[in-house]
Amino acid sequence: MMKIKIKNLRELPLEAAEIYIRQIAAWHHSAWSGITGKPLADVERDIHKIFRAKQAEYFIAVDEDTNESLGTIGLKQRNMEDEYPDYGWGPWFSGLYVREQNRHQRISAMLGLGAAQLALKNKAVSIYYFTHNLALADFYNQLQGEVLKPFMGQQYKYLGKPILVYAAKTENIVKLLETYLAKNPAVTPVESQELRAKL
């Protein structure tokens, strides 16, 4: 079974964090450039800027045996403030990404738990998250989310796309992910297919 470590880039030497930021930027660009329209250089610049300004924490999952990077999640203080400056929601789960060949192996749950534990340590009452993919509503409901603005027609959009925005109590997310990981210490490919609707 793979040994996975979740690293907070803030706790790493700057040189190591910079290498991981380049990888995170490449993942973000491959996953969301069709929505954001940003070139890779701009994505990397934005992540560097947010990280250096301490406006976000970035976590990365690493295979301890091979030192390969497997996935990432961000915990941002603010999100969507360019279009919704008055809402003041935060912190946010942001940019959850797991390499395609490593999906359905609990990595997203491990990343989410690392970010949620930090939010809880920082006394964040709730964590917010949103998706452009309306088919993921059931996934987000499993994080005990409450729909803040359910998608209805074209009433609620970001970057020109309809979105769902959620909030969940931080302590609930931590408990849920801890329970999930305790019940699923190892996930085989067959089991993964049964867990596709979960984490």
Side-chain angles (χ1 to χ4, degrees):
M1 185 169 62
M2 203 171 4
K3 296 178 184 176
I4 299 171
K5 184 174 181 63
I6 305 300
K7 298 183 179 183
N8 182 343
L9 268 57
R10 191 74 56 195
E11 298 172 353
L12 302 178
L14 184 58
E15 297 82 6
E18 295 279 348
I19 292 170
Y20 285 129
I21 284 173
R22 286 195 291 276
Q23 177 62 77
I24 291 168
W27 284 337
H28 283 200
H29 180 261
S30 70
W32 298 294
S33 62
I35 294 172
T36 66
K38 290 185 177 181
L40 176 58
D42 288 355
V43 175
E44 186 172 336
R45 185 196 66 234
D46 290 349
I47 293 174
H48 273 291
K49 181 179 176 182
I50 292 168
F51 181 73
R52 288 174 180 155
K54 299 187 177 179
Q55 296 172 343
E57 304 298 332
Y58 290 97
F59 297 81
I60 196 148
V62 177
D63 182 335
E64 288 195 293
D65 291 330
T66 66
N67 207 33
E68 286 186 288
S69 302
L70 309 174
T72 185
I73 195 171
L75 186 70
K76 295 176 72 175
Q77 294 175 20
R78 295 289 307 277
N79 210 346
M80 303 194 301
E81 64 268 25
D82 50 343
E83 293 191 30
Y84 300 99
D86 300 328
Y87 286 174
W89 297 336
W92 293 79
F93 280 152
S94 176
L96 173 62
Y97 180 90
V98 176
R99 290 193 320 180
E100 188 170 354
Q101 63 266 41
N102 296 111
R103 291 174 188 171
H104 315 299
Q105 297 176 23
R106 307 176 311 129
I107 295 170
S108 61
M110 296 172 71
L111 286 161
L113 180 59
Q117 286 173 331
L118 179 61
L120 190 62
K121 179 180 176 183
N122 291 341
K123 304 189 185 318
V125 175
S126 297
I127 295 177
Y128 297 78
Y129 36 98
F130 77 90
T131 180
H132 286 99
N133 186 348
L134 305 184
L136 289 177
D138 288 343
F139 170 84
Y140 286 107
N141 280 327
Q142 289 181 48
L143 293 181
Q144 299 181 7
E146 300 171 4
V147 181
L148 297 180
K149 291 276 189 175
F151 171 62
M152 297 175 65
Q154 299 296 313
Q155 292 181 7
Y156 199 67
K157 299 198 296 188
Y158 182 58
L159 297 176
K161 307 276 188 184
I163 61 171
L164 289 172
V165 179
Y166 291 85
K169 299 295 183 189
T170 305
E171 61 183 339
N172 290 350
I173 294 178
V174 170
K175 288 176 186 175
L176 180 73
L177 294 176
E178 285 176 342
T179 300
Y180 172 80
L181 289 167
K183 288 181 179 178
N184 299 279
V187 179
T188 65
V190 172
E191 290 171 328
S192 294
Q193 292 174 9
E194 297 171 358
L195 292 170
R196 286 183 188 275
K198 297 183 180 179
L199 302 173

